[in-house]
Amino acid sequence: MLRLLLPLAALAALLRAANVPQRSFGIDYDCNCFVKDGEPFRYISGSIHYSRVPRYYWKDRLLKMKMAGLDAIQTYVPWNYHETQMGVYDFFGGKDLEYFLQLANEIGLLVILRAGPYICAEWDMGGLPAWLLEKKSIVLRSSDADYLAAVEKWMSVLLPKMRPYLYQNGGPIIMVQVENEYGSYFACDYNYLRFLLKLFRLHLGDEVVLFTTDGASQFHLKCGALQGLYATVDFAPGGNVTAAFLAQRSSEPKGPLVNSEFYTGWLDHWGHRHSVVPAQTIAKTLNEILARGANVNLYMFIGGTNFAYWNGANMPYMSQPTSYDYDAPLSEAGDLTEKYFALREVIGMYKQLPEGLIPPTTPKFAYGKVRLQKVGTVVEVLDGLSPSGPVKSTYPLTFVQLKQYFGFVLYRTTLPKNCTEPTELSSPLNGVHDRAYVSVDGVPQGVLERDKSLAINITGRAGANLDLLVENMGRVNFGRYNNDFKGLVSNLTLAQDILVGWEMYPLDIDGAVNYGIVSLFDQPERFVGNPLNDEVPTFYTGSLSIPGGIPDLPQDTYVSFPGWTKGQIWINGFNLGRYWPARGPQLTLYVPRNVLVSSVPNNITVLELERSPCSTQACEIEFVDEPNINATTQYESYDHQLFVRDMWLTHL
Ligand SMILES: *[C@@H]1O[C@H](CO)[C@@H](O)[C@H](O)[C@H]1NC(C)=O
Ligand SMILES: *[C@@H]1O[C@H](CO)[C@@H](O)[C@H](O)[C@H]1NC(C)=O
Ligand SMILES: *[C@@H]1O[C@H](CO)[C@@H](O)[C@H](O)[C@H]1NC(C)=O
Ligand SMILES: *[C@@H]1O[C@H](CO)[C@@H](O)[C@H](O)[C@H]1NC(C)=O
Ligand SMILES: *[C@@H]1O[C@H](CO)[C@@H](O)[C@H](O)[C@H]1NC(C)=O
Ligand SMILES: *[C@@H]1O[C@H](CO)[C@@H](O)[C@H](O)[C@H]1NC(C)=O
């Protein structure tokens, strides 16, 4: 950081001494425009989330954005990505936001910072840390005292870091967004927005442009806009641009027109068709926006990846897949697409495009099939996976009560009676958040799933262990169900009787994978095993050696899961994300080259939650050179169509 700060400070001093007008950025209400260094200024911006692109590729993606003719980038700051535990802050490596800002600055891109605290973004809990839910009754995004205290503390860490990067201080940040689409939230708490306004001013000063973003309608602006925060709108291509900007004018009779989220594509959900928005539709509306002299941010310019457990979800519960490709102009892997060139052409009609080469699409390599070997089941090594040991309670506790925020918890009790005949295990209040893989003494029984499968029949003898491995599939990121508790959030019944006497094992699977999962097992089931184990949550390992003699390896690749059902995959301890080919539409996961090494074999760990192909077919995964994120799925048309319509109406 010093590296940058000193020259910036020195530069500012020099400029002052030379009597050069200082860097400034603001709003001119007479010309209905922004002014930068005293000149009218219009920006064309694109969204990139540093949390969804490997640090290794930040520069490549930013350069491609610059070469598309963009003036600026827009990024979100996900609070829960940085304050993973209350009071523990992480800004290192891939979370080094300051380094990201420095890169943007060096490349000549301005930055529009969306600082939260809430960001939506199809990100777990809309960026709010799950530990906020330790106060069960907390009202998020409101004047709830505990919520405000946590926000105040976080912003007093984040915003002072950002201040040196403000434009007037020599950095790239021209504007800072406060909250996000607050007008779409039920609380409508102006005191909360006022609190944020004061807090942001306190840490960032009076000069920086603070703004809000809301759906382009008076309805959304009613609770989203606040005097002192410049109100901007968001809307999709294909709609009526005049009407959308008239909505902004209802809040801001004068000042620049801004679409802060102009959708280049759309999000996906597991089990629903991959979203595609044609380039021509976007190019046409972009042209209309620019012709009007308006400012625009293309959301997303590159979507990237929900690595590990970072995806969000919508209600009725549908979680988003690992890929956040978004059908954006740069693909998930940063590839130049037809859409990229179509939009660049439109931009080129309004400004001079930068000279020079566009960084080419990075090559992909098909490393081929990798054989995996079964290591053993989750239940076999519970103690190794749960260093803190089980927590006991009569009734089930939630993830936050167990201080486990992501991943998996194993809930165990014993069958209170003989279930010789199939007996109904049920979650009458729909309290399995989000999926539970059920077994009795190691014998698979089926899956319970939020909003989808609330009861299954099980069998087993009295006293047998009833195990539910409960998976957090990502917290709701939009709307009033944002306070999304995970685990067993209500009682389970067995033939009407409430089950009691639970032991809950918080699982540190990522820790165990890094340590070497095989070492947890006394006798890894290398070649033989109980075939039934292929249907309970089970670990598999394998290794991928990068072939020698081929220049420029390793390269990016995609991993596919022929015959596998659903699970999680790590390469060299890096959590690539969830795979779920049985549901789709995403069949392959993006593997950026930076997680691979060529000097020694790459260690692969797979946790298959339901059914592997290993006892019937080849026990392999395959590295291929093309993504497939738009496979046909058992398409659930009804609720999804309604949902998409609602979301689009929100944004039109
Ligand atoms: C777009 O909206 C404007 C303002 O509401 C209206 O005058 C115009 O007729 C609309 N255009 C179309 C094509 O619907
Ligand atoms: C369960 O069944 C076994 C024999 O099948 C019997 O010995 C045992 O007493 C039964 N237990 C209960 C609690 O009913
Ligand atoms: C459980 O089995 C009973 C009896 O066969 C059946 O009526 C019921 O529908 C089953 N429940 C589920 C959830 O499969
Ligand atoms: C389970 O049921 C008991 C008894 O009705 C109740 O006290 C408890 O709050 C319930 N627990 C949950 C997690 O719903
Ligand atoms: C894979 O695991 C082996 C054995 O633990 C280790 O020697 C090797 O360095 C690991 N490879 C990588 C790339 O970390
Ligand atoms: C996926 O996208 C490709 C390229 O646009 C297209 O050819 C293919 O038909 C799509 N598949 C599905 C199932 O939509």
Side-chain angles (χ1 to χ4, degrees):
M1 173 161 148
L2 268 181
R3 213 160 29 105
L4 179 81
L5 275 183
L6 282 178
L8 281 181
L11 185 69
L14 260 170
L15 292 175
R16 266 194 302 278
N19 218 3
V20 172
Q22 285 208 35
R23 288 161 66 97
S24 66
F25 187 87
I27 292 173
D28 185 331
Y29 289 92
D30 293 327
C31 85
N32 293 325
C33 65
F34 291 111
V35 273
K36 184 168 155 281
D37 305 329
E39 299 290 324
F41 178 73
R42 178 262 289 279
Y43 68 73
I44 305 170
S45 163
S47 282
I48 172 174
H49 300 154
Y50 60 92
S51 54
R52 286 182 159 130
V53 174
R55 174 185 166 122
Y56 178 86
Y57 277 127
W58 285 351
K59 193 168 184 181
D60 174 77
R61 310 305 192 243
L62 290 171
L63 272 170
K64 287 169 177 163
M65 294 176 80
K66 174 77 182 173
M67 292 309 293
L70 300 181
D71 307 292
I73 57 158
Q74 193 205 54
T75 195
Y76 276 130
V77 182
W79 177 7
N80 58 0
Y81 193 59
H82 294 288
E83 191 174 353
T84 47
Q85 315 259 338
M86 195 192 298
V88 179
Y89 304 100
D90 185 352
F91 287 94
F92 300 104
K95 300 184 181 184
D96 191 344
L97 171 55
E98 291 184 57
Y99 176 64
F100 181 76
L101 296 174
Q102 288 168 28
L103 280 178
N105 203 30
E106 279 166 23
I107 289 166
L109 287 162
L110 299 165
V111 173
I112 299 161
L113 191 74
R114 313 178 90 183
Y118 167 81
I119 60 169
C120 192
E122 288 74 68
W123 188 261
D124 184 81
M125 211 165 139
L128 299 176
W131 47 257
L132 290 170
L133 301 176
E134 280 169 25
K135 176 188 171 191
K136 203 172 173 190
S137 63
I138 197 165
V139 184
L140 302 169
R141 306 175 68 195
S142 80
S143 300
D144 181 295
D146 298 279
Y147 175 71
L148 291 190
V151 168
E152 186 166 17
K153 204 165 150 245
W154 160 238
M155 288 298 168
S156 74
V157 173
L158 173 68
L159 298 180
K161 280 184 194 293
M162 297 296 101
R163 189 165 184 155
Y165 294 90
L166 297 180
Y167 187 76
Q168 61 272 19
N169 297 336
I173 300 174
I174 50 172
M175 322 211 308
V176 178
Q177 185 183 313
V178 177
E179 247 281 343
N180 186 50
E181 292 188 341
Y182 191 60
S184 300
Y185 193 57
F186 73 93
C188 197
D189 181 344
Y190 296 113
N191 286 333
Y192 166 51
L193 286 186
R194 278 188 206 105
F195 171 88
L196 292 179
L197 168 57
K198 233 175 108 186
L199 188 63
F200 277 53
R201 284 279 170 233
L202 171 75
H203 291 298
L204 298 177
D206 289 333
E207 219 178 303
V208 64
V209 175
L210 298 179
F211 73 106
T212 56
T213 299
D214 278 286
S217 76
Q218 293 194 33
F219 170 78
H220 292 106
L221 286 157
K222 181 168 172 286
C223 296
L226 186 80
Q227 189 155 25
L229 298 171
Y230 191 72
T232 75
V233 293
D234 53 25
F235 57 88
N240 185 330
V241 172
T242 307
F245 282 133
L246 272 177
Q248 190 195 353
R249 280 282 173 250
S250 70
S251 271
E252 300 290 353
K254 295 192 130 299
L257 296 174
V258 183
N259 182 350
S260 288
E261 287 190 2
F262 174 61
Y263 306 105
T264 60
W266 199 245
L267 53 134
D268 282 348
H269 294 106
W270 289 116
H272 301 286
R273 194 185 292 157
H274 172 56
S275 305
V276 176
V277 181
Q280 303 86 298
T281 312
I282 300 157
K284 181 167 171 290
T285 309
L286 178 62
N287 191 16
E288 290 174 39
I289 293 173
L290 295 181
R292 204 169 291 254
N295 300 270
V296 66
N297 172 68
L298 298 146
Y299 186 102
M300 300 296 300
F301 203 87
I302 170 169
T305 310
N306 296 310
F307 291 114
Y309 309 112
W310 288 113
N311 66 278
N314 279 296
M315 289 296 279
Y317 191 79
M318 305 179 261
S319 64
Q320 294 125 14
T322 302
S323 171
Y324 194 62
D325 178 88
Y326 213 84
D327 199 28
L330 292 173
S331 76
E332 175 180 12
D335 296 357
L336 305 167
T337 67
E338 250 176 72
K339 196 176 276 184
Y340 177 92
F341 291 103
L343 299 186
R344 186 173 187 266
E345 197 179 310
V346 175
I347 294 169
M349 288 157 54
Y350 293 90
K351 60 177 285 201
Q352 175 103 44
L353 294 171
E355 311 246 306
L357 280 177
I358 303 174
T361 286
T362 50
K364 312 293 186 294
F365 196 81
Y367 299 100
K369 292 175 174 153
V370 169
R371 184 153 168 249
L372 298 188
Q373 291 169 326
K374 185 194 295 180
V375 181
T377 70
V378 167
V379 164
E380 282 166 8
V381 281
L382 266 190
D383 295 334
L385 295 173
S386 184
S388 59
V391 176
K392 294 187 174 128
S393 161
T394 307
Y395 302 112
L397 302 175
T398 62
F399 272 39
V400 279
Q401 286 172 310
L402 299 164
K403 295 213 186 290
Q404 166 107 18
Y405 305 123
F406 292 97
F408 304 86
V409 170
L410 187 112
Y411 289 74
R412 168 173 285 178
T413 184
T414 51
L415 291 183
K417 60 183 174 195
N418 282 326
C419 301
T420 329
E421 297 301 317
T423 308
E424 203 159 87
L425 172 71
S426 165
S427 175
L429 299 179
N430 192 13
V432 174
H433 289 190
D434 303 296
R435 287 188 115 230
Y437 308 91
V438 185
S439 60
V440 172
D441 272 350
V443 180
Q445 307 287 328
V447 178
L448 294 169
E449 184 175 349
R450 181 175 182 180
D451 286 352
K452 287 208 167 60
S453 164
L454 308 193
I456 55 171
N457 279 328
I458 63 170
T459 55
R461 50 165 194 83
N465 279 333
L466 169 64
D467 288 325
L468 293 96
L469 181 69
V470 179
E471 178 185 12
N472 166 0
M473 287 275 298
R475 292 183 185 80
V476 173
N477 59 270
F478 179 76
R480 73 162 61 226
Y481 301 104
N482 214 198
N483 55 341
D484 190 5
F485 292 86
K486 295 302 185 186
L488 298 183
V489 305
S490 61
N491 286 307
L492 293 189
T493 58
L494 184 65
Q496 321 292 332
D497 300 325
I498 290 181
L499 285 166
V500 294
W502 291 93
E503 283 187 350
M504 287 148 288
Y505 294 78
L507 303 183
D508 178 16
I509 293 181
D510 290 78
V513 168
N514 268 290
Y515 183 74
I517 203 86
V518 177
S519 62
L520 294 181
F521 291 84
D522 293 337
Q523 286 179 302
E525 294 179 50
R526 282 268 146 198
F527 300 105
V528 288
N530 174 0
L532 276 179
N533 281 356
D534 286 352
E535 301 193 16
V536 295
T538 299
F539 290 104
Y540 299 81
T541 59
S543 69
L544 166 67
S545 295
I546 306 296
I550 303 172
D552 300 329
L553 291 189
Q555 290 170 351
D556 287 2
T557 182
Y558 302 90
V559 57
S560 75
F561 300 85
W564 298 76
T565 309
K566 182 185 195 310
Q568 200 86 25
I569 178 169
W570 294 258
I571 297 185
N572 297 329
F574 180 83
N575 190 335
L576 273 183
R578 309 172 205 272
Y579 65 88
W580 201 354
R583 194 159 285 184
Q586 178 176 9
L587 299 190
T588 60
L589 297 198
Y590 173 52
V591 184
R593 61 158 288 183
N594 56 290
V595 311
L596 301 172
V597 296
S598 48
S599 49
V600 290
N602 295 279
N603 297 317
I604 299 169
T605 309
V606 169
L607 170 59
E608 168 59 50
L609 298 162
E610 294 187 49
R611 199 169 42 258
S612 82
C614 294
S615 46
T616 50
Q617 305 158 44
C619 193
E620 338 175 291
I621 54 175
E622 184 171 5
F623 290 87
V624 296
D625 55 12
E626 280 194 20
N628 185 353
I629 57 169
N630 70 341
T632 38
T633 109
Q634 307 138 306
Y635 181 56
E636 296 163 41
S637 55
Y638 175 69
D639 57 342
H640 191 62
Q641 285 299 349
L642 279 183
F643 169 79
V644 168
R645 207 195 57 202
D646 285 356
M647 288 286 283
W648 275 70
L649 283 179
T650 310
H651 293 101
L652 277 171

PDB file of all heavy atoms in Angstrom, residues 572 597 600-603, ligand 5:
ATOM      1  N   ASN A 572      -5.799 -29.232  -5.176  1.00  0.00           N
ATOM      2  CA  ASN A 572      -4.711 -28.738  -4.325  1.00  0.00           C
ATOM      3  C   ASN A 572      -5.261 -27.895  -3.165  1.00  0.00           C
ATOM      4  O   ASN A 572      -4.702 -26.864  -2.805  1.00  0.00           O
ATOM      5  CB  ASN A 572      -3.695 -27.931  -5.141  1.00  0.00           C
ATOM      6  CG  ASN A 572      -3.010 -28.799  -6.188  1.00  0.00           C
ATOM      7  OD1 ASN A 572      -2.819 -29.996  -5.975  1.00  0.00           O
ATOM      8  ND2 ASN A 572      -2.663 -28.208  -7.320  1.00  0.00           N
ATOM      9  N   VAL A 597      -0.422 -26.914 -10.748  1.00  0.00           N
ATOM     10  CA  VAL A 597       1.039 -26.830 -10.821  1.00  0.00           C
ATOM     11  C   VAL A 597       1.527 -27.919 -11.780  1.00  0.00           C
ATOM     12  O   VAL A 597       0.849 -28.934 -11.972  1.00  0.00           O
ATOM     13  CB  VAL A 597       1.712 -27.034  -9.443  1.00  0.00           C
ATOM     14  CG1 VAL A 597       1.333 -25.912  -8.489  1.00  0.00           C
ATOM     15  CG2 VAL A 597       1.355 -28.387  -8.851  1.00  0.00           C
ATOM     16  N   VAL A 600       4.612 -31.072  -9.637  1.00  0.00           N
ATOM     17  CA  VAL A 600       4.216 -32.316  -8.952  1.00  0.00           C
ATOM     18  C   VAL A 600       2.755 -32.591  -9.308  1.00  0.00           C
ATOM     19  O   VAL A 600       2.065 -31.699  -9.796  1.00  0.00           O
ATOM     20  CB  VAL A 600       4.355 -32.199  -7.406  1.00  0.00           C
ATOM     21  CG1 VAL A 600       5.797 -32.153  -6.976  1.00  0.00           C
ATOM     22  CG2 VAL A 600       3.588 -30.989  -6.878  1.00  0.00           C
ATOM     23  N   PRO A 601       2.292 -33.818  -9.058  1.00  0.00           N
ATOM     24  CA  PRO A 601       0.884 -34.105  -9.363  1.00  0.00           C
ATOM     25  C   PRO A 601      -0.065 -33.202  -8.567  1.00  0.00           C
ATOM     26  O   PRO A 601       0.220 -32.843  -7.422  1.00  0.00           O
ATOM     27  CB  PRO A 601       0.708 -35.575  -8.954  1.00  0.00           C
ATOM     28  CG  PRO A 601       2.074 -36.148  -9.009  1.00  0.00           C
ATOM     29  CD  PRO A 601       3.009 -35.039  -8.609  1.00  0.00           C
ATOM     30  N   ASN A 602      -1.151 -32.827  -9.195  1.00  0.00           N
ATOM     31  CA  ASN A 602      -2.177 -32.011  -8.548  1.00  0.00           C
ATOM     32  C   ASN A 602      -3.152 -32.925  -7.810  1.00  0.00           C
ATOM     33  O   ASN A 602      -3.647 -33.900  -8.375  1.00  0.00           O
ATOM     34  CB  ASN A 602      -2.932 -31.208  -9.599  1.00  0.00           C
ATOM     35  CG  ASN A 602      -2.028 -30.206 -10.291  1.00  0.00           C
ATOM     36  OD1 ASN A 602      -1.766 -29.129  -9.773  1.00  0.00           O
ATOM     37  ND2 ASN A 602      -1.519 -30.574 -11.472  1.00  0.00           N
ATOM     38  N   ASN A 603      -3.403 -32.574  -6.548  1.00  0.00           N
ATOM     39  CA  ASN A 603      -4.252 -33.425  -5.714  1.00  0.00           C
ATOM     40  C   ASN A 603      -5.722 -33.031  -5.835  1.00  0.00           C
ATOM     41  O   ASN A 603      -6.084 -31.891  -5.586  1.00  0.00           O
ATOM     42  CB  ASN A 603      -3.810 -33.295  -4.250  1.00  0.00           C
ATOM     43  CG  ASN A 603      -2.387 -33.783  -4.064  1.00  0.00           C
ATOM     44  OD1 ASN A 603      -2.009 -34.822  -4.605  1.00  0.00           O
ATOM     45  ND2 ASN A 603      -1.599 -33.027  -3.320  1.00  0.00           N
TER      46      ASN A 603
HETATM   47  C1  LIG B   5      -0.207 -33.549  -3.242  1.00  0.00           C
HETATM   48  O1  LIG B   5      -0.092 -34.337  -2.091  1.00  0.00           O
HETATM   49  C2  LIG B   5       1.195 -34.928  -1.946  1.00  0.00           C
HETATM   50  C3  LIG B   5       1.137 -35.879  -0.776  1.00  0.00           C
HETATM   51  O2  LIG B   5       0.602 -35.255   0.343  1.00  0.00           O
HETATM   52  C4  LIG B   5       2.230 -33.831  -1.757  1.00  0.00           C
HETATM   53  O3  LIG B   5       3.503 -34.380  -1.645  1.00  0.00           O
HETATM   54  C5  LIG B   5       2.164 -32.912  -2.967  1.00  0.00           C
HETATM   55  O4  LIG B   5       3.038 -31.820  -2.779  1.00  0.00           O
HETATM   56  C6  LIG B   5       0.755 -32.388  -3.166  1.00  0.00           C
HETATM   57  N1  LIG B   5       0.700 -31.642  -4.391  1.00  0.00           N
HETATM   58  C7  LIG B   5       0.427 -30.348  -4.421  1.00  0.00           C
HETATM   59  C8  LIG B   5       0.403 -29.706  -5.756  1.00  0.00           C
HETATM   60  O5  LIG B   5       0.194 -29.689  -3.423  1.00  0.00           O
END
